[in-house]
Each structure stands twice: as structure tokens, then as C-alpha cells.
């Protein structure tokens, strides 16, 4: 195989030398010069083929770019470019949206992703210059609400929450399901990454496109819309949780419909899960509303204060529901204890009543010759009447004291 490749190279070299001067035919009689050149090429090719090849890359491997088929596979939910509050035509292609946003003044690209893989997000991170640590958090998910600054890029994590319809509260009922939305905000781009089957941003995008006066404030307007939509959903969810807690509270003192301790504890766990999704968001929203950040428009910062006020309301109501559930749980346990005490008093009362005839029968059942009234004709009915009188007296006394 090496000899054949060498012959091919020699033939090419020979043809090139033969046509060196125009008008002169190739000279086939100077074989020594051709053999010398061919031998040199053979030596070079042989040494190259014999040289060991290293399989280790000396430079880091670049993440593969997304193909057109991958762009429409469902990972990229939407990609558009906006300028002066309006959608720019021909901005729905990921490979060109970033360039359009950078060339056009006051324009930005909004890219929406749904549970992307590390390879897909790495390719997008290369286009927009996203920080590596934030990209890793966006892929792994299961993050707590937070806000981080990486140079000119802002990264924010928000928890979404969804109320699960249920006919009856059971020990394993799932009332609140949580997901996540990560937002990358730069000077000319917004990248939203969603995890979970709820909290879709399509309606939010449509509503924001209908408000060009807000959308013209750039990427910070998108971040505000995302935060506002999620917090408004918190308000709706806490209303429905409040209805469940009120129903549980009303049934505590209804003996026939009293909820079990397991059901109440499950509801308290769902409220705590909701609390863990909402409470850590206070500091990020306070930072967005009070701190001057370069990627946040000053006009939009005023709107963040309104979102923060709504979040404070949600946090306070969740704390109230948590305390109320603790009181309901304690009241239920108290009711169970009282019910057990009532049962024990009834049992004790009936045992006391039954002890009287048992004692008298036991006494007169002893086989002694000399016992009072043992040989009398009226002795047996008299003892029965005495048993009945004592038992009725005890029953009346227990009823009067609330034991029966």
C-alpha cells in the first residue's frame, strides 16, 4: 500500500517537472533525475506513515453546534428578535437571531428552552457567551431561587408552582407541584430555561408582545414579566390552598367528618414545600427593586417593586397557613385524646356497674352453712332487688356526671 501511494506521488511530481518549460515536451531520457526526486518523496512519505499518531487532543473540544433539525426538536421552544417593542422578521432562527440583535440598535433576542441537555445548552452558551457555572446550574436544575451576576450577564432562578386538583385529601395526595425557570439576561439577549411540565411561557410572551411600550425596555422587561407571572401564579395557588385549609379547619370539630392526622400532616407538608419555593425569592426581588444593575432598565426597576410587594403578601399568607395548620393539627390531636378519654370513662362506668352484681353473686355463691338469710324464702329475690337498686343508682350518677 505504501509503494502504490509513493508511485502515485512520484508520477505527479514527474509530470510537474516535465511540464516546467512551455513548449518543451517531457524528456523521458533523464531517468536519474526523476529517480532521485521520486526517491526523496518516497522517503518523506514512508517516514510520515511510520510516525506514531497521538489520539490525545491538544486543544479542548468545541461543543457541537445545533443543526436545523435540533433547533425544532422541542428543546428550543421559541426564538425571536425584538426591536423597539416589536418582533423583528427573520429572527426565529437561532443561528441568525444573535447576529441580528447585535447589529440592530436597541434590539435583543429572546430564546426559550425546555429542559435542554448539556450539549445543547453548551452550544447556545457559546453563541451568547453565557457563564459556565450558571450553564451547569441550568442543566442540572433543582436549584433554590437566587440571583447571580457574572460580569454583564445576570442569572436568576425562580421556582414555579402548580396546584393539583384533588377530590379528597388523602395521606398521599399531591397538592403542590414545583418546577423551575432559569433566566439569563444580557445587554442584547434573554435566554429562559424551563424545567417541569407546567409554567409555560407562551402566554406570557404573547401578552408581552401586546404591550410594546413595556417590551421596548429590552431584556429587563422580559425578566420582569417572568417574575410577575410566576408571583401572580403564587397568589392564585395560595388562594386555593387557603380553601383547603379552611375546609380542614371546619371539619376538625365535626366528629363524623373529622380529618385524620395523616391527611393534615400531608397538607402541612405541601404548604411547607410551597414555602420553600417562595421564601428564598424575597432577597433576589428586593435586589432587583432596590439595586441599580447595569442590565436592568431604571424604568423596569420600579415595576419590580410591585412584584416584590405581591411576593411579600404571598409569603405572609403562607406563614399564616402554616401556623393555622399547626393549630389544626394540635386541635385534632386534642380531639382524639378527648375522645379516647370519653371512651375510657364509659368503659369504667359500665365496669363499676357490673362489679356490683358480680360481687354480691360471688359472696352468696360461697358454700358456707351459716350465712345471713341463707335459708329464707325471700332471700333470693331480696338479693336481686338489691343488685338492681345499686346498679340503677350508679347508672343515674354516671349519667348526671357525663360519664354515660
Amino acid at each position: 500500500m505504501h509503494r502504490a501511494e509513493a508511485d502515485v506521488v512520484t508520477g505527479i511530481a514527474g509530470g510537474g517537472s516535465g511540464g516546467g518549460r512551455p513548449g518543451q515536451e517531457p524528456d523521458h531520457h533523464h531517468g536519474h533525475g526523476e529517480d532521485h526526486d521520486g526517491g526523496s518523496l518516497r522517503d518523506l512519505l514512508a517516514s510520515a506513515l511510520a510516525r506514531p499518531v497521538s489520539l490525545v487532543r491538544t486543544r479542548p473540544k468545541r461543543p457541537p453546534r445545533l443543526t436545523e433539525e435540533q433547533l425544532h426538536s422541542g428543546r428550543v421552544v421559541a426564538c425571536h428578535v425584538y426591536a423597539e417593542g416589536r418582533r423583528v422578521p427573520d429572527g426565529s432562527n437561532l443561528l441568525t437571531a444573535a447576529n441580528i440583535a447585535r447589529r440592530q440598535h436597541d434590539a435583543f433576542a429572546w430564546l426559550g428552552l425546555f429542559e435542554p441537555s448539556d450539549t445543547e445548552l453548551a452550544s447556545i452558551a457559546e453563541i451568547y457567551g453565557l457563564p459556565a457555572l450558571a450553564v451547569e446550574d441550568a442543566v442540572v436544575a433543582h436549584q433554590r431561587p437566587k440571583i447571580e451576576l457574572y460580569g454583564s450577564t445576570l442569572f436568576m432562578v425562580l421556582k414555579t408552582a402548580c396546584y393539583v386538583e384533588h377530590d379528597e385529601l388523602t395521606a398521599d395526595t399531591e397538592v403542590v407541584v414545583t418546577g423551575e425557570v432559569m433566566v439569563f439576561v444580557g445587554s442584547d439577549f434573554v435566554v429562559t430555561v424551563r424545567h417541569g411540565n407546567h409554567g409555560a411561557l407562551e402566554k406570557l410572551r404573547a401578552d408581552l408582545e401586546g404591550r410594546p411600550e413595556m417590551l421596548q425596555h429590552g431584556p429587563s422587561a422580559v425578566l420582569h414579566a417572568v417574575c410577575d407571572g410566576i408571583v401572580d401564579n403564587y397568589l392564585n395557588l395560595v388562594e386555593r390552598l387557603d380553601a383547603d385549609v379552611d375546609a380542614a379547619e371546619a371539619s376538625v370539630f365535626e366528629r363524623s367528618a373529622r380529618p385524620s392526622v395523616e391527611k393534615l400532616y400531608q397538607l402541612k407538608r405541601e404548604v411547607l414545600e410551597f414555602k420553600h419555593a417562595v421564601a428564598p425569592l424575597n432577597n433576589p426581588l428586593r435586589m432587583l427593586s432596590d439595586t441599580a444593575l447595569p442590565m436592568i432598565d431604571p424604568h423596569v426597576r420600579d415595576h419590580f417593586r410591585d412584584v416584590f410587594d405581591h411576593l411579600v403578601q404571598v409569603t405572609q399568607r403562607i406563614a399564616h397557613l402554616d401556623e393555622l395548620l399547626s393549630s389544626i393539627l394540635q386541635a385534632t390531636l386534642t380531639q382524639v385524646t378527648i375522645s379516647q378519654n370519653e371512651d375510657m370513662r364509659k368503659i369504667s362506668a359500665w365496669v363499676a356497674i357490673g362489679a356490683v352484681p358480680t360481687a354480691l353473686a360471688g359472696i352468696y355463691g360461697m358454700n358456707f352453712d351459716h350465712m345471713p338469710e341463707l335459708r329464707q324464702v325471700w332471700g333470693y329475690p331480696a338479693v336481686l332487688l338489691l343488685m338492681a337498686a345499686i346498679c340503677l343508682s350508679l347508672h343515674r350518677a354516671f349519667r348526671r356526671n357525663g360519664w354515660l
Side-chain angles (χ1 to χ4, degrees), residues 168-180:
E168 182 182 358
L169 187 66
T170 62
D172 57 350
T173 298
E174 193 172 18
V175 180
V176 179
V177 177
T178 59
E180 294 178 36

Side-chain angles (χ1 to χ4, degrees), residues 212-224:
E213 71 282 357
M214 187 66 181
L215 194 57
Q216 67 182 357
H217 292 288
S220 56
V222 178
L223 179 62
H224 166 265

Side-chain angles (χ1 to χ4, degrees), residues 11 81 110 113 121 123 128 210 218 254 262 275 277 328 356 362 365 369:
V81 179
W110 183 359
L113 306 175
L121 194 54
S123 301
Y128 291 97
E254 297 179 6
E262 292 82 3
K275 180 180 179 180
I328 294 173
V356 173
D369 291 333

